[in-house]
Amino acid sequence: MLSAGAEAKQFEGVGVGLSVLNQYPLGDWGDYAKANIGGGLAAEYTFPHFLPASIDLGASVRFEFAHTLPKSDTTLKSHNEIRASGGLFFRIPFAVGGSTLAFQPEVAVGASLNNTEGQNGAKASGWYTDTLIMVSPSIRFVPAAEALSHIEFELSPLWTMSLEDSNTVNNIGFRLGGVWHFE
């Protein structure tokens, strides 16, 4: 039984989250790296309900880190990245039995700091700052259990684009985590 509306759990106010991520490089970066693994912290604010049809609107702030797993036959030894971003999302909840599923696409922009080391020991001098764009159309789940009614579990495809000096680094993968909502 799938239905939108009053039975679906909606949130207002502040939520905090914790997540893990795994991404795979696209384009030229894929020649050097196998995957990015990492995690992050998030805070989000869902605005008071004012949109029709049970649609929620909100804003988020994320702090994430990612470590690149290099391919063994390349010149890359390590690559680490720290990301900070702010974004906007909307959330469309649906009741499924006594639980809630929600579709929550989010677009965020921010900055990433990254540091690279080559197999020959050569390091990029210090940390470099890049512009970051992230798109994550997440699916969220709130169990029917009363004890878990303030927690949303999240599974989201995740695309990031870092705009470096002369390169664009694209990664695609997923974010898996949870958000605890204060009420």
Side-chain angles (χ1 to χ4, degrees):
M1 177 171 126
L2 179 69
S3 63
E7 309 91 28
K9 180 79 173 164
Q10 287 187 269
F11 296 103
E12 280 186 18
V14 176
V16 294
L18 185 63
S19 62
V20 295
L21 61 90
N22 189 12
Q23 292 185 287
Y24 301 94
L26 303 173
D28 292 343
W29 189 239
D31 294 339
Y32 299 97
K34 292 188 283 191
N36 292 324
I37 57 172
L41 300 171
E44 61 183 47
Y45 179 77
T46 305
F47 299 110
H49 307 297
F50 67 92
L51 294 175
S54 301
I55 298 174
D56 299 324
L57 184 65
S60 67
V61 175
R62 293 188 181 275
F63 297 97
E64 297 178 326
F65 69 91
H67 172 72
T68 299
L69 301 174
K71 289 185 176 176
S72 60
D73 58 346
T74 68
T75 58
L76 181 66
K77 181 177 180 183
S78 70
H79 176 84
N80 296 297
E81 187 175 6
I82 299 171
R83 303 169 177 170
S85 63
L88 293 174
F89 63 83
F90 67 89
R91 180 178 180 275
I92 304 171
F94 296 92
V96 179
S99 302
T100 297
L101 277 177
F103 174 60
Q104 182 171 314
E106 178 180 342
V107 175
V109 295
S112 70
L113 293 172
N114 61 70
N115 158 303
T116 303
E117 182 178 351
Q119 290 286 5
N120 61 2
K123 292 184 180 182
S125 57
W127 289 80
Y128 290 93
T129 305
D130 302 323
T131 303
L132 177 71
I133 299 170
M134 295 193 314
V135 177
S136 55
S138 69
I139 299 296
R140 294 204 171 180
F141 173 71
V142 182
E146 184 60 35
L148 299 175
S149 66
H150 298 310
I151 299 174
E152 279 190 296
F153 296 96
E154 173 187 30
L155 173 60
S156 177
L158 176 63
W159 172 73
T160 60
M161 180 175 67
S162 298
L163 305 172
E164 298 181 1
D165 289 337
S166 60
N167 299 320
T168 300
V169 176
N170 287 287
N171 291 287
I172 191 162
F174 66 89
R175 179 189 290 134
L176 179 65
V179 176
W180 184 69
H181 294 272
F182 296 89
E183 287 192 315

